[in-house]
Amino acid sequence: MSYTSTPVPAHVAAPAETAFPREEGEPRAVYDAIRDELLLDGRSRLNLATFGTTWMEDEARLLMTETADKNLVDTEEYPQVADMEARCVRMLADLWHAPDPSHATGCSTTGSSEAAMLAGLALKRRWEQRRRTAGRDTERPNIVAGANVQVCWKKFCSYFDVEARLVPLAPGRLHLTPEVLAEYCDDRTIGVIGILGSTFDGSYEPIGDLCLALDGIQAATGNDIPVHVDGASGALVAPFLDPDLLWDFQLARVASINTSGHKYGQVFPGLGWALWRDAAALPAELVHHVDYLGGEMNTFSLTFTRPASHIAAQYYTFHRYGYEGLRRLHLASRHIARGLAAGIADLDLFELLTEGDELPAFAFRLTDGAHALGLHERGIALAMRARGWQVPAYPLPTGLADTWALRVVVRTGFTPRLAALFLDDLRNAARTVMRASVDVAREGYAERLAPAELIPRRPSEVTGTHAL
């Protein structure tokens, strides 16, 4: 049987959505048409679902525009950009207490997903090398992480043939904790993934305690298991807001760390970083040598050609803000997150899962009483979208999959005024959803409950005394 496309008769016009344009367009007309269509998208500043940066200074935007035509991988042609990338790696190594920041081992990536893949590959190759040296097989490697791990780690395991041992959550335990490690780790575990800033609720996993537990496992079994810290969000928050927290290369068991420059690194989406403790933590066989761009260069990535714009922007933000400036920005975000969480806790329909005191992000849910009235987190999310807010509603991972949550991420650009408006809109959305639920249910007990009584309007929520 032959599978060929049927020619379209010349007199039949193909739909505009599928036909490749035949004629040139006037630049401004094409721009205006596309810009008008993009107006239908949500407003990024009101997107409380994303951890990605949605605000940058004009100078940073200009630098991104001026370097968008430079190929980052072409280090021979653009040596200054390549040097800026290396300087950023060294600055991160210093921030994360690497043993020798002046000879840091790391690279930029397109985001934390690629960085996680590279770190996972390094863990796998190091494990394989140790096994071969000991004369043992290299079959059935596994990683251990909490079920709250970001989907990139599931992709890594699927793409590179590694078993994902994901520890289920439990009531009162929203992430990986040390007491469960012994049950899941064995001599085929290539590494434990500790998450500094859970996507689901903004909480930090206790990296130091995980390392201590693995020390005990090594003493009992001889299995020396390294830790990779997925600091996609938290690795550029904790150094500034929680400087005494032990989570980075100060812990000898931490072999590598990734982060997203496009999250709390203040750069628009498209930038990640992967760093290793030292050169020994990154197997040399994973680094490839290229000479066809006009000079000798090394590359370790899952991609190749990329614009230099994100490197220029990251270098700008590091020098523009410095330690004190980033601390100021993140402290303001945490202050707003905690105040907003407190305001939501005062609304009788909601209860907090986290409070925004680690990442400037927190999760909350409807109370059992609200569920009994027929309300659901998805209804709240839809009602908030009608006002322009994008608030994700989702079930928690394995172990707590029957629990749904809503999440708020506070980033630079989310002002106290926006927080106060959000709180008012959330109150009104809950009233709207509850009225609709009562009208549909027509239950006697529900009709006797006035929506306004369940959601009191407190003066403090309007004036902002909840740290807004």
Side-chain angles (χ1 to χ4, degrees):
M1 181 179 294
S2 175
Y3 293 92
T4 58
S5 59
T6 302
V8 178
H11 66 280
V12 178
E17 292 81 3
T18 57
F20 194 89
R22 293 186 177 276
E23 305 296 334
E24 294 183 62
E26 194 277 322
R28 187 68 197 190
V30 174
Y31 168 83
D32 287 342
I34 294 173
R35 186 173 184 273
D36 287 347
E37 184 173 341
L38 290 174
L39 291 175
L40 297 174
D41 279 344
R43 287 169 288 181
S44 60
R45 291 280 294 280
L46 300 185
N47 183 358
L48 303 187
T50 181
F51 286 86
T53 295
T54 55
W55 179 89
M56 291 181 68
E57 292 179 326
D58 290 341
E59 292 81 0
R61 291 170 177 257
L62 184 59
L63 279 172
M64 292 191 76
T65 300
E66 292 174 346
T67 53
D69 62 341
K70 294 186 177 184
N71 185 359
L72 177 61
V73 79
D74 193 348
T75 58
E76 181 73 11
E77 188 69 24
Y78 308 114
Q80 290 309 119
V81 172
D83 197 46
M84 286 182 182
E85 179 185 18
R87 289 178 225 164
C88 287
V89 169
R90 291 195 293 271
M91 283 188 271
L92 288 171
D94 175 61
L95 190 67
W96 297 339
H97 302 98
D100 185 6
S102 63
H103 295 87
T105 300
C107 61
S108 68
T109 64
T110 55
S112 273
S113 290
E114 182 186 2
M117 300 278 180
L118 300 180
L121 278 172
L123 291 175
K124 184 180 182 185
R125 291 298 175 87
R126 288 181 64 200
W127 176 80
E128 290 172 341
Q129 290 171 355
R130 293 194 300 269
R131 299 278 292 190
R132 290 192 185 102
T133 299
R136 307 175 72 183
D137 70 85
T138 58
E139 302 298 319
R140 304 188 306 283
N142 68 74
I143 63 167
V144 173
N148 58 310
V149 76
Q150 215 271 353
V151 69
C152 66
W153 289 102
K154 299 176 183 179
K155 290 181 179 180
F156 165 75
C157 291
S158 176
Y159 298 163
F160 297 104
D161 198 22
V162 175
E163 178 191 356
R165 294 185 176 178
L166 304 182
V167 180
L169 307 187
R173 181 169 58 78
L174 298 178
H175 53 227
L176 185 64
T177 51
E179 70 275 4
V180 300
L181 284 180
E183 180 182 350
Y184 289 84
C185 293
D186 58 26
D187 64 335
R188 298 184 184 276
T189 301
I190 65 174
V192 168
I193 311 303
I195 306 172
L196 196 73
S198 171
T199 301
F200 289 91
D201 63 9
S203 65
Y204 294 161
E205 292 186 339
I207 308 298
D209 292 341
L210 295 177
C211 289
L212 283 174
L214 290 171
D215 289 345
I217 289 173
Q218 182 177 1
T221 66
N223 297 327
D224 185 5
I225 301 171
V227 168
H228 171 80
V229 177
D230 185 344
S233 299
L236 281 172
V237 172
F240 307 103
L241 299 188
D242 307 291
D244 296 328
L245 182 67
L246 282 176
W247 66 272
D248 59 13
F249 291 124
Q250 294 179 90
L251 299 168
R253 198 165 288 278
V254 173
S256 49
I257 301 170
N258 72 272
T259 196
S260 294
H262 63 225
K263 292 181 179 175
Y264 289 100
Q266 308 296 304
V267 176
F268 283 149
L271 178 66
W273 298 96
L275 268 69
W276 286 264
R277 165 176 293 280
D278 49 35
L282 176 60
E285 66 195 73
L286 293 176
V287 181
H288 295 270
H289 302 274
V290 177
D291 60 9
Y292 55 75
L293 293 178
E296 293 283 343
M297 58 169 284
N298 296 330
T299 177
F300 178 38
S301 67
L302 300 180
T303 60
F304 197 64
T305 297
R306 284 192 289 135
S309 52
H310 289 84
I311 298 301
Q314 185 74 93
Y315 193 65
Y316 171 87
T317 61
F318 284 173
H319 279 278
R320 161 66 179 88
Y321 298 112
Y323 183 92
E324 291 302 326
L326 287 173
R327 173 176 167 77
R328 173 180 60 82
L329 292 179
H330 297 338
L331 193 60
S333 293
R334 180 182 280 180
H335 192 59
I336 292 171
R338 295 184 68 179
L340 189 54
I344 291 172
D346 279 346
L347 304 181
D348 292 346
L349 286 180
F350 299 102
E351 62 183 24
L352 297 177
L353 297 176
T354 50
E355 300 180 359
D357 55 354
E358 293 178 317
L359 279 189
F362 61 92
F364 61 104
R365 65 184 291 270
L366 287 164
T367 64
D368 291 341
H371 287 143
L373 293 174
L375 276 68
H376 195 279
E377 285 76 9
R378 289 172 298 187
I380 300 295
L382 288 172
M384 291 298 285
R385 185 175 289 271
R387 282 285 290 165
W389 300 103
Q390 299 172 58
V391 184
Y394 50 88
L396 294 179
T398 304
L400 291 175
D402 291 336
T403 299
W404 280 68
L406 297 152
R407 188 189 67 230
V408 168
V409 179
V410 176
R411 307 176 304 278
T412 301
F414 188 76
T415 63
R417 177 57 180 161
L418 282 175
L421 291 172
F422 175 87
L423 197 58
D424 278 342
D425 284 342
L426 181 64
R427 180 188 295 106
N428 292 330
R431 286 174 177 156
T432 299
V433 172
M434 183 155 42
R435 287 192 185 103
S437 177
V438 169
D439 288 342
V440 171
R442 291 298 176 188
E443 296 285 347
Y445 72 90
E447 290 178 325
R448 289 194 299 271
L449 294 175
E453 294 175 1
L454 287 179
I455 312 175
R457 187 178 183 85
R458 303 177 189 272
S460 62
E461 294 166 6
V462 179
T463 59
T465 57
H466 284 302
L468 296 181

